[in-house]
């Protein structure tokens, strides 16, 4: 943790569940939200409006998992940042490795989306992280630094933008980097951002490892995938971030 930075625990629900599942999960998270920690849930687009309406005035923020760089236009299947804001989202995840891999997203494209998000009044959460091959080649710090430099637009830090370090090989695999490796990357991220920037770790965060990971220097929260689909697990991770 970084003294003076309130932790953020964000759940990325990815492409899971029905609308009924989403509403029940959101309600369970709301009911158990601990004090002293900011909570964010990011449902699939089609569930976002209902979940955001249910969380209005509650201590759980709601975010999108992506947005388009344009404010409107002929972009079939895409969603604009202003549309996310309009239905009650406050955050948006950008540049997740699954989108970089599945949709060919580049640092420049992520930067353009982040500009749109900031313009719409959303807080962007930009994901960076190396592949296993890059880590084994000793390139992890350089890869992450290049992604940060390429993906963060001007005004990102002033707008309270968040950076999430998610090593690609740790996502959904049950494998996590060593605590020293996480701390080393987060020190690089701190040097490239600001003393007030929230830096999240993501990749197989579970109740069992949350306390240790969240206790590392410059780790100001977590971006949680699989464990965020189980309210008790997500809340246990949030509890590990609390005072
Ligand atoms: O979804 C994640 C948070 O963005 C990230 O991919 C980690 O997933 P997990 O390994 O299932 O927690």
């Amino acid at each position: 943790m970084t003294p003076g930075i309130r932790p953020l625990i964000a759940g990325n629900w990815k492409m899971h569940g029905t609308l009924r599942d989403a509403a029940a999960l959101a309600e369970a998270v709301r009911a158990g939200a601990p004090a002293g920690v900011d909570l964010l849930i990011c449902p699939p687009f089609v569930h976002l409006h209902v979940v955001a309406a249910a969380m209005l005035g509650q201590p759980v923020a709601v975010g999108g998992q992506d947005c388009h760089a344009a404010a409107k236009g002929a972009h079939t299947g895409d969603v604009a940042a202003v549309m996310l804001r309009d239905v009650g989202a406050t955050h948006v995840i950008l540049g997740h490795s699954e989108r970089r891999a599945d949709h060919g997203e580049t640092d420049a494209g992520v930067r353009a989306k982040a500009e749109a998000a900031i313009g719409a009044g959303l807080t962007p959460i930009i994901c960076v992280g190396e592949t296993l091959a890059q880590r084994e080649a000793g390139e992890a710090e350089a890869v992450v630094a290049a992604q940060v430099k390429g993906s963060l637009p001007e005004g990102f830090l002033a707008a309270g933008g968040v950076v999430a370090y998610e090593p690609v090989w740790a996502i959904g695999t049950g494998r996590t980097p060593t605590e020293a490796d996480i701390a080393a990357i987060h020190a690089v991220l701190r040097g490239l951002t600001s003393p007030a920037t929230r830096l999240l770790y993501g990749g197989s965060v579970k109740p069992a490892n949350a306390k240790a990971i969240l206790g590392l220097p410059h780790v100001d929260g977590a971006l949680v995938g699989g464990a965020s689909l189980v309210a008790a697990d997500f809340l246990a991770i949030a509890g590990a971030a609390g005072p």
Side-chain angles (χ1 to χ4, degrees):
M1 292 291 183
T2 306
I5 297 185
R6 187 177 158 96
L8 171 64
I9 304 298
N12 177 6
W13 293 358
K14 305 194 181 184
M15 194 174 70
H16 289 288
T18 63
L19 179 57
R20 181 183 294 229
D21 295 334
L25 182 53
E27 171 53 24
V29 169
R30 185 206 63 77
V37 180
D38 285 344
L39 292 186
L40 169 69
I41 51 179
C42 299
F45 282 142
V46 290
H47 302 158
L48 204 146
H49 186 195
V50 168
V51 171
M55 293 300 111
L56 199 63
Q58 301 298 324
V60 179
V62 178
Q65 298 177 14
D66 180 46
C67 71
H68 197 277
K72 63 179 178 179
H75 301 289
T76 303
D78 280 313
V79 172
V82 288
M83 292 172 168
L84 296 178
R85 191 76 192 97
D86 184 50
V87 298
T90 53
H91 294 67
V92 61
I93 299 168
L94 296 173
H96 191 283
S97 63
E98 287 153 10
R99 291 208 60 86
R100 290 179 188 258
D102 295 351
H103 301 275
E105 293 198 359
T106 62
D107 290 341
V110 172
R111 187 173 63 241
K113 290 180 176 199
E115 279 169 6
I118 293 166
L122 295 172
T123 301
I125 300 174
I126 293 187
C127 302
V128 297
E130 82 285 358
T131 63
L132 187 57
Q134 289 165 333
R135 172 153 289 277
E136 288 176 346
E139 297 168 353
E141 292 187 14
V143 166
V144 165
Q147 288 176 330
V148 167
K149 288 174 188 160
S151 305
L152 273 54
E154 201 174 322
F156 178 87
L157 301 178
V162 177
V163 178
Y165 169 53
E166 299 201 312
V168 178
W169 51 275
I171 295 174
T173 61
R175 298 180 61 184
T176 52
T178 65
E179 292 174 16
D181 287 340
I182 296 172
I185 295 286
H186 277 248
V188 171
L189 294 178
R190 180 66 67 209
L192 291 169
T193 55
S194 85
T197 302
R198 274 169 160 170
L199 303 175
L200 311 185
Y201 170 77
S204 296
V205 177
K206 310 281 179 216
N209 61 18
K211 194 88 190 167
I213 291 172
L214 293 166
L216 295 171
H218 306 303
V219 176
D220 309 312
L223 184 49
V224 186
S228 72
L229 298 171
V230 178
D233 288 354
F234 187 62
L235 292 170
I237 293 167

